[in-house]
Amino acid sequence: MMTVVHLFHDDPDSLLIGSRLPRRMADAARPDDPPLEVFVFGAAQRRLGRADTDLDRRFNEQIDELLAAGIPVGACITLARADGLEDALRARGLSLVIARDAFLRYSREGATVIGF
């Protein structure tokens, strides 16, 4: 079993709280707690790699902090390709998969999904 934080919406609270919470969860986790991962999709994914606003910069910094802390962060490869960001997101350390496949895996594994 695992816990997944799913970032979908691109309002400030969803982006900033949703990308900060996994780090706090990891910091408080016990060794026997389920693994944690983050999946960015939809409107939130369109903010990856952007630096147009302070919100974009803060969101991307927090995503990079999750990756630096060893928390797996995934995103949809289809959107990444459509936005021309596939190589850039991979270089940052994001795992790119077809969103459908990620959600099916979460279901099969009985994951707890927390959405923002």
Side-chain angles (χ1 to χ4, degrees):
M1 217 188 254
M2 74 167 61
T3 301
V4 178
V5 175
H6 175 222
L7 304 175
F8 183 82
H9 301 285
D10 72 344
D11 61 275
D13 289 334
S14 294
L15 290 175
L16 297 180
I17 295 170
S19 62
R20 186 177 64 226
L21 177 66
R23 178 61 190 267
R24 296 184 63 141
M25 292 170 68
D27 289 346
R30 298 184 312 232
D32 60 335
D33 283 341
L36 172 67
E37 74 180 59
V38 175
F39 191 75
V40 186
F41 185 52
Q45 184 170 336
R46 300 273 186 201
R47 298 285 192 139
L48 289 174
R50 286 178 46 189
D52 301 333
T53 67
D54 183 55
L55 176 61
D56 293 332
R57 288 186 290 280
R58 290 173 56 202
F59 171 64
N60 279 281
E61 286 171 5
Q62 288 182 183
I63 293 296
D64 290 338
E65 289 171 7
L66 294 174
L67 292 163
I71 298 168
V73 178
C76 176
I77 191 166
T78 305
L79 284 179
R81 285 180 180 156
D83 292 341
L85 292 174
E86 181 178 0
D87 292 338
L89 295 180
R90 282 192 199 280
R92 286 175 67 185
L94 279 85
S95 172
L96 299 178
V97 298
I98 296 172
R100 169 204 66 210
D101 296 345
F103 291 118
L104 285 171
R105 180 173 62 88
Y106 302 148
S107 294
R108 287 184 189 118
E109 295 179 5
T112 298
V113 180
I114 303 167
F116 286 90

